[in-house]
């Protein structure tokens, strides 16, 4: 089974703090993704990565950056957290060799910025 | 531009009834159509998926119906149970040489009442 692990289920941070959200997958997938999920807005893609040290902006990259130093790990960084970044953050991974690049998700990190 | 339109936004079904969720897409290049199920506090989990050359796929109580000419597909949950209460997302994937796109619908919150 594909396993995508997000390091924290819940995080509470202060405005202006630098926040790191970590994601690890154990299936040697090439592709990794970060989404945020908000009521009524569905899943919105923040950043994705096709390979180590490679990143592409998604639909809402502003206020975020990412790091992929190793194939299995994809980090989302909030350089200076703001209250409008309070959300559920979801990491996913996929591989083109499996079922049309279908994405497998982690359990999510619920971030509250106070 | 919303490329996958999902309806209804919410759905209440009596136990034992049929739940039907509809999605419509615009991009004819999409070539795989998964459905995800998400329980509160959890990440989305792949439920069932279909290729566009198949008109119907059934797995247990879950069936996808696909109408390529109308660019529509739907999820039917037969004999709906309270344990099916969750948010359901349809998605459409294009995965070609050097190109990849996955677009989600905005989700349907299903409540199955006893």
């Amino acid at each position: 089974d594909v396993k995508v692990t997000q390091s924290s289920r819940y995080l509470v941070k202060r405005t202006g703090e630098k926040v790191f959200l970590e994601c690890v997958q154990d299936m040697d997938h090439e592709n990794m993704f970060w989404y945020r999920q908000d009521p009524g807005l569905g899943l919105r893609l923040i950043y994705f990565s096709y390979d180590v040290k490679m990143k592409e902006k998604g639909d809402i990259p502003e206020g975020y950056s990412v790091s992929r130093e190793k194939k299995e790990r994809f980090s989302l960084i909030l350089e200076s957290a703001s209250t409008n970044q309070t959300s559920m953050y979801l990491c996913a991974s996929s591989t083109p060799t499996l079922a049309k690049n279908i994405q497998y998700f982690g359990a999510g990190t619920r971030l509250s910025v106070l | 531009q919303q490329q996958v339109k999902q309806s209804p936004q919410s759905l209440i079904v009596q136990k034992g009834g049929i739940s039907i969720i509809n999605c419509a897409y615009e991009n004819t290049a999409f070539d795989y159509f998964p459905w995800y199920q998400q329980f509160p506090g959890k990440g989305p989990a792949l439920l069932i998926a279909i290729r566009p050359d198949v008109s119907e796929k059934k797995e247990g109580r879950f069936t996808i119906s696909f109408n390529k000419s109308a660019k529509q597909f739907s999820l039917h949950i037969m004999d709906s149970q309270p344990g099916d209460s969750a948010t359901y997302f349809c998605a459409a994937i294009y995965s070609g040489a050097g190109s990849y796109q996955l677009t989600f619908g905005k989700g349907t919150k299903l409540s199955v009442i006893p």
Side-chain angles (χ1 to χ4, degrees):
Chain A
D1 279 353
V2 176
K3 190 164 185 184
V4 179
T5 303
Q6 294 183 231
S7 55
S8 303
R9 292 300 308 277
Y10 302 94
L11 275 179
V12 180
K13 297 292 181 181
R14 297 268 179 210
T15 302
E17 276 192 80
K18 190 169 185 175
V19 182
F20 293 86
L21 302 183
E22 306 286 345
C23 176
V24 176
Q25 50 94 5
D26 66 357
M27 286 303 293
D28 202 35
H29 283 179
E30 293 84 351
N31 308 323
M32 297 189 75
F33 308 82
W34 276 107
Y35 293 87
R36 64 177 282 176
Q37 183 177 26
D38 301 286
L41 298 178
L43 291 139
R44 293 183 291 169
L45 182 64
I46 304 171
Y47 267 97
F48 59 100
S49 169
Y50 286 152
D51 202 349
V52 176
K53 296 192 186 293
M54 180 273 177
K55 61 185 178 184
E56 293 283 348
K57 292 180 180 179
D59 299 320
I60 52 163
E62 296 78 20
Y64 303 94
S65 62
V66 291
S67 172
R68 193 164 181 203
E69 296 296 320
K70 293 185 178 181
K71 190 175 185 180
E72 67 271 17
R73 186 180 297 270
F74 193 34
S75 302
L76 180 69
I77 304 156
L78 287 66
E79 295 289 342
S80 178
S82 63
T83 55
N84 63 11
Q85 292 179 310
T86 292
S87 186
M88 170 74 115
Y89 289 88
L90 292 161
C91 175
S93 73
S94 74
T95 174
T97 61
L98 180 66
K100 288 288 187 179
N101 243 323
I102 208 156
Q103 292 183 18
Y104 294 88
F105 285 84
T109 296
R110 185 163 294 281
L111 173 67
S112 297
V113 182
L114 306 178
Chain B
Q1 181 186 8
Q2 186 183 352
Q3 294 195 45
V4 178
K5 293 184 179 179
Q6 183 172 347
S7 63
Q9 195 171 1
S10 63
L11 181 62
I12 299 174
V13 173
Q14 205 88 32
K15 178 182 175 181
I18 302 174
S19 304
I20 302 174
I21 303 170
N22 300 300
C23 284
Y25 63 97
E26 298 169 5
N27 187 350
T28 55
F30 288 134
D31 56 4
Y32 204 58
F33 300 88
W35 284 88
Y36 288 85
Q37 179 188 55
Q38 185 180 26
F39 293 106
K42 305 285 188 181
L46 178 65
L47 183 64
I48 187 172
I50 196 168
R51 298 191 324 262
D53 56 346
V54 176
S55 60
E56 185 176 282
K57 182 174 181 180
K58 184 175 180 179
E59 289 184 2
R61 295 183 295 108
F62 300 90
T63 300
I64 301 178
S65 297
F66 191 86
N67 185 331
K68 189 173 181 178
S69 60
K71 293 189 286 185
Q72 294 175 349
F73 58 110
S74 59
L75 176 70
H76 296 235
I77 306 173
M78 312 300 287
D79 187 27
S80 299
Q81 299 296 313
D84 297 329
S85 297
T87 299
Y88 292 82
F89 293 93
C90 63
I93 297 175
Y94 169 70
S95 185
S99 184
Y100 174 73
Q101 179 185 353
L102 186 150
T103 303
F104 287 97
K106 290 201 172 181
T108 296
K109 185 175 181 180
L110 171 65
S111 299
V112 181
I113 54 176

